[in-house]
Amino acid sequence: MSEEKQVGIVLVSHSGPVAEAVAELARGLAAGGATAPVAAAGGTQTGGLGTSAELIAEAARSVDGGVGIAVLVDLGSAVLTVKSMLAEGDELPDGARLVDAPFIEGAVAALVTASAGGDLAAVEAAASEAYSYRKV
């Protein structure tokens, strides 16, 4: 692995355990070695179901390497929370981008691509392409 900075990944779910599990799954499927930075931001600050701008901002700061952050979300109000944060302009690091992708498959594709050194556009494209994965 080179010393180049990698795109960070933030996984936003209404459930803390779901966000953590998807992050763990993505890490495990991304070759099992060193991966790009990924952080889970699930639930509320008190551990309930919902989304927390504070947890999302904290997760984004923790993965920010200065080359972009792909934010993947699970459900509607998570989308609205992240869109609101992006509109504010000062809650998320520069280069944070909401990615339209399926949550689990997109997270895996994003992390694999970021870990391979892909830039933010490549990470976003890989995650978005996960919509086309067929299961039958």
Side-chain angles (χ1 to χ4, degrees), residues 9 11 22-23 25-30 72 102-115 126-127 130 133:
I9 312 293
L11 303 176
V22 172
L25 177 67
R27 282 186 208 101
L29 294 177
L72 285 81
F103 192 59
I104 297 173
E105 294 92 334
V108 172
L111 189 58
V112 167
T113 303
S115 297
Y133 298 171

Side-chain angles (χ1 to χ4, degrees), residues 2-126:
S2 73
E3 293 299 316
E4 292 182 32
K5 294 182 179 181
Q6 297 171 312
V7 170
I9 312 293
V10 175
L11 303 176
V12 181
S13 173
H14 284 70
S15 164
V18 168
E20 291 291 344
V22 172
E24 181 181 343
L25 177 67
R27 282 186 208 101
L29 294 177
T35 62
V38 58
T44 65
Q45 288 186 308
T46 59
L49 294 175
T51 55
S52 163
E54 292 81 11
L55 292 177
I56 296 166
E58 181 181 314
R61 285 190 299 272
S62 77
V63 300
D64 183 20
V67 294
I69 300 166
V71 182
L72 285 81
V73 299
D74 64 354
L75 300 169
S77 64
V79 173
L80 295 175
T81 300
V82 173
K83 281 185 174 182
S84 172
M85 294 174 75
L86 289 168
E88 287 293 321
D90 62 349
E91 292 187 87
L92 294 172
D94 289 340
R97 184 179 300 173
L98 176 60
V99 174
D100 184 17
F103 192 59
I104 297 173
E105 294 92 334
V108 172
L111 189 58
V112 167
T113 303
S115 297
D119 64 9
L120 184 56
V123 170
E124 179 176 27

